Amino acid sequence: MKTIDELLAEGVAGKRVFVRADLNVPLDGTTITDDGRIRAVVPTIAKLAEAGARVVVASHLGRPKGAPDPAFSLAPAAARLGELLGAEVAFAADTVGESARATVAGLADGRVAVIENLRFNAGETSKDDAERGAFADQLAGLADTYVGDGFGAVHRKHASVFDLPARLPHYAGYLIATEVGVLKKLTTDVARPYAVVLGGAKVSDKLGVIDHLLERADRILIGGGMAYTFLKAQGHEVGSSLLQEDQIPAVQEYLRRAEEKGVEFVLPVDVVVAPSFPDLKTKAPAHPTTVAADAMPAGQMGLDNGPETNKLYASKLADAATVFWNGPMGVFEHPDFADGTRAVAQALVDSSAFSVVGGGDSAAAVRILGFDENAFGHISTGGGASLEYLEGKTLPGLAALED
């Protein structure tokens, strides 16, 4: 795929450059609680603006139902982008309507505009090729050139990600080039030992990547809500913990294959439990206790790895040369259940391994828990995209940037 450096060499002064970014940041009302995805795309936008382009930035935010919804407006993200760029950013109140056309038409060379949430238009996410294509045609009318830099969305076959690049000269931005380069290090000539840490709520979300990694990883550490399905598959009681009973046969097969292939599967040996899920708004004390993973009492819910598990996981990561981590070890948003996630992050900081934090909640946890982002090899902006890449899937947004 062509890169933004090639576009800059061709010259962009006076050209309208459409940048498909990922500004899908978490909001508390209109307050951004983690601006990592906005900061990640700033180098691409800033470089284009410095070269005299008229930069049109587009993104989705949340999951509105194909119509305008003030709760999902990109206005806070546009304001934050302006702060990071140190320059005013114009904001269009629609995607391809009168406001968008007027805002783009009014851009001077070197200036930046953000158009409203792409998912306010049903054509963005439509499964109908014609409907998506019609929306892509309207978006194409706002630009001369396309730069794909929204890595968090490249696994989606959406109009702005898949259909629009076919209608304009297209290039990969700095973020996508970096993300793909990092993920290649996890799939080609991987430095070993290669350890993978998988957490999060549901084992069903990780089935494909586990299947793929059984052929590649040396050890796989399991935590988060998905760990309780693994523990149940081994015959242990899990109280009222999150459990996907329908996935137990698949998990048992993975454990069997791992043993057959010599891949070490590491599960919690103790867990932190509480009678119910904690209140994440008030952070009220949840009265946790620690129990052995094979002795969870009825009526108790597993919500984090215990201290012995934290020591075990740190030891399993200490000698790794490559580590990929996706998914928190517990309900890290509550102080009573953050130690497991903190322990994994600290183990990566202490390790000499090339460490990749695979986006989503893992990336948010690193920031919320106060770790220096530069202490990790790479923090991805796309959890789902990273996982699908590691599964070996073709990602529509990357395929669209190929020539």
Side-chain angles (χ1 to χ4, degrees), residues 287-369:
H287 309 294
T289 55
T290 300
V291 300
D294 60 358
M296 292 184 64
Q300 293 287 311
M301 178 182 294
L303 295 166
D304 196 15
N305 287 348
E308 293 305 313
T309 300
N310 294 340
K311 293 176 189 175
L312 173 65
Y313 283 19
S315 72
K316 296 295 182 182
L317 297 172
D319 69 337
T322 304
V323 180
F324 173 73
W325 172 29
N326 179 278
M329 299 293 98
V331 186
F332 71 92
E333 301 94 337
H334 192 286
D336 288 344
F337 308 106
D339 285 350
T341 302
R342 183 181 290 108
V344 168
Q346 188 62 55
L348 298 191
V349 170
D350 294 340
S351 168
S352 60
F354 174 66
S355 58
V356 178
V357 181
D361 286 340
S362 312
V366 164
R367 299 184 183 106
I368 289 171
L369 295 176

Side-chain angles (χ1 to χ4, degrees), residues 42 109 111 119 126 128 134 175 185 198 225 256 270 380 384-385 388 395:
V42 164
D109 292 1
R111 305 301 297 202
R119 291 185 183 176
S126 176
D128 181 81
L175 176 60
K185 290 185 179 181
L198 295 176
R256 185 198 65 78
D270 63 345
S380 179
E388 290 197 17
L395 306 188

Side-chain angles (χ1 to χ4, degrees), residues 194-203 205-214 217 219-228 230 254 265-268 305 313 317 323-330 341 344 348 356-358 362 383 386-388 390-391:
Y194 178 19
V196 176
V197 185
L198 295 176
K202 296 181 179 179
V203 67
D205 294 339
K206 305 289 196 303
L207 289 177
V209 75
I210 292 172
D211 185 72
H212 206 64
L213 288 169
L214 280 172
R219 61 185 71 123
I220 300 175
L221 287 62
I222 301 293
M226 63 186 287
Y228 303 102
F230 276 85
Y254 287 147
F265 245 106
V266 188
L267 300 177
N305 287 348
Y313 283 19
L317 297 172
V323 180
F324 173 73
W325 172 29
N326 179 278
M329 299 293 98
T341 302
V344 168
L348 298 191
V356 178
V357 181
S362 312
S386 296
L387 288 176
E388 290 197 17
L390 292 183
E391 285 179 45

Side-chain angles (χ1 to χ4, degrees), residues 54-302:
R54 303 176 183 187
V55 186
V56 182
V57 181
S59 175
H60 70 285
L61 190 149
R63 296 185 177 183
K65 302 185 184 301
D69 183 338
F72 297 106
S73 175
L74 276 175
R80 179 59 179 148
L81 177 61
E83 291 172 358
L84 292 168
L85 289 171
E88 183 181 354
V89 168
F91 182 67
D94 56 29
T95 55
V96 291
E98 182 178 340
S99 178
R101 292 193 297 271
T103 300
V104 173
L107 276 180
D109 292 1
R111 305 301 297 202
V112 178
V114 173
I115 62 174
E116 186 55 285
N117 193 334
L118 291 163
R119 291 185 183 176
F120 285 1
N121 189 304
E124 170 68 0
T125 59
S126 176
K127 289 183 168 58
D128 181 81
D129 291 349
E131 186 178 11
R132 269 198 340 273
F135 183 47
D137 286 339
Q138 290 179 292
L139 291 172
L142 299 175
D144 305 303
T145 304
Y146 177 94
V147 172
D149 216 28
F151 180 74
V154 294
H155 58 314
R156 307 295 189 191
K157 191 176 182 181
H158 290 170
S160 66
V161 175
F162 179 75
D163 302 273
L164 182 56
R167 290 158 167 77
L168 295 169
H170 45 268
Y171 304 79
Y174 291 125
L175 176 60
I176 278 186
T178 298
E179 294 272 14
V180 171
V182 166
L183 289 171
K184 283 182 177 178
K185 290 185 179 181
L186 300 178
T187 53
T188 308
D189 296 326
V190 182
R192 297 186 180 278
Y194 178 19
V196 176
V197 185
L198 295 176
K202 296 181 179 179
V203 67
S204 56
D205 294 339
K206 305 289 196 303
L207 289 177
V209 75
I210 292 172
D211 185 72
H212 206 64
L213 288 169
L214 280 172
E215 306 293 331
R216 290 161 177 79
D218 297 302
R219 61 185 71 123
I220 300 175
L221 287 62
I222 301 293
M226 63 186 287
Y228 303 102
T229 301
F230 276 85
L231 291 169
K232 186 71 171 180
Q234 290 185 324
H236 305 310
E237 289 303 319
V238 296
S240 58
S241 306
L242 183 64
L243 175 65
Q244 290 186 285
E245 296 233 29
D246 61 324
Q247 301 300 331
I248 287 176
V251 166
Q252 290 172 328
E253 174 62 13
Y254 287 147
L255 292 170
R256 185 198 65 78
R257 282 176 55 197
E259 185 174 4
E260 181 182 273
K261 293 178 175 295
V263 177
E264 186 180 8
F265 245 106
V266 188
L267 300 177
V269 294
D270 63 345
V271 295
V272 180
V273 300
S276 61
F277 197 84
D279 188 324
L280 299 183
K281 283 196 174 292
T282 66
K283 304 290 196 300
H287 309 294
T289 55
T290 300
V291 300
D294 60 358
M296 292 184 64
Q300 293 287 311
M301 178 182 294

